[in-house]
Amino acid sequence: MAKESKAVEEKVSNDPSSKIEAIKNLIFGENIAAYNSEFDKVKKDISSKKRELEDFIEDTKKELNQAIDNLSTDINIRITELEDNLADKADVLDEKKVDKKTLGDLLISLGEKINQK
């Protein structure tokens, strides 16, 4: 133990960062390797979960964009169908209605025929 303390003291006096390492070694000893190992496992697990979450978010984003595209296409198709239907109905109404000039000419003609009799 005395030799270890002397070696630690020599290292401590030379480098400030080694002072921290020496203190950690004195306090924690062999446990520090176990702690580091556990921290590494936790870091890897967090990193793995982060990647999974990012992949899930990306997949969800793709699915939402696809759903929006499908909905947009469906709405455009329905709008086009409604416009076509409205145009057809307007054409039918145009065919059924009598032009004002034609109606006026018919009424004048009818009036003249009634007047002649």
Side-chain angles (χ1 to χ4, degrees):
M1 178 84 174
K3 288 182 183 181
E4 289 177 6
S5 295
K6 202 170 205 179
V8 169
E9 286 176 18
E10 287 176 12
K11 284 184 181 178
V12 169
S13 62
N14 294 338
D15 185 14
S17 65
S18 66
K19 289 179 184 179
I20 294 172
E21 287 298 319
I23 292 170
K24 284 192 326 189
N25 284 334
L26 285 174
I27 294 173
F28 297 109
E30 295 173 8
N31 293 337
I32 195 74
Y35 293 143
N36 286 337
S37 174
E38 288 297 318
F39 284 132
D40 286 342
K41 286 179 186 176
V42 170
K43 285 180 188 178
K44 287 178 183 176
D45 189 41
I46 289 172
S47 178
S48 171
K49 298 296 182 196
K50 180 183 174 193
R51 271 186 252 116
E52 286 178 23
L53 186 57
E54 288 170 345
D55 290 344
F56 178 74
I57 289 170
E58 188 62 32
D59 291 345
T60 303
K61 188 186 295 185
K62 286 178 184 176
E63 288 176 13
L64 285 173
N65 284 333
Q66 183 65 40
I68 289 169
D69 288 344
N70 291 343
L71 184 60
S72 176
T73 301
D74 187 44
I75 287 173
N76 286 335
I77 289 169
R78 288 179 187 219
I79 287 172
T80 303
E81 288 173 354
L82 287 172
E83 288 172 342
D84 292 343
N85 191 8
L86 183 60
D88 291 344
K89 299 255 184 203
D91 290 343
V92 168
L93 286 176
D94 282 343
E95 291 172 8
K96 287 185 177 181
K97 85 171 190 177
V98 177
D99 186 27
K100 287 182 182 179
K101 184 172 180 348
T102 306
L103 182 59
D105 291 343
L106 287 173
L107 288 173
I108 290 171
S109 174
L110 181 62
E112 288 174 356
K113 286 182 182 180
I114 292 174
N115 197 16
Q116 290 175 359
K117 290 190 179 188

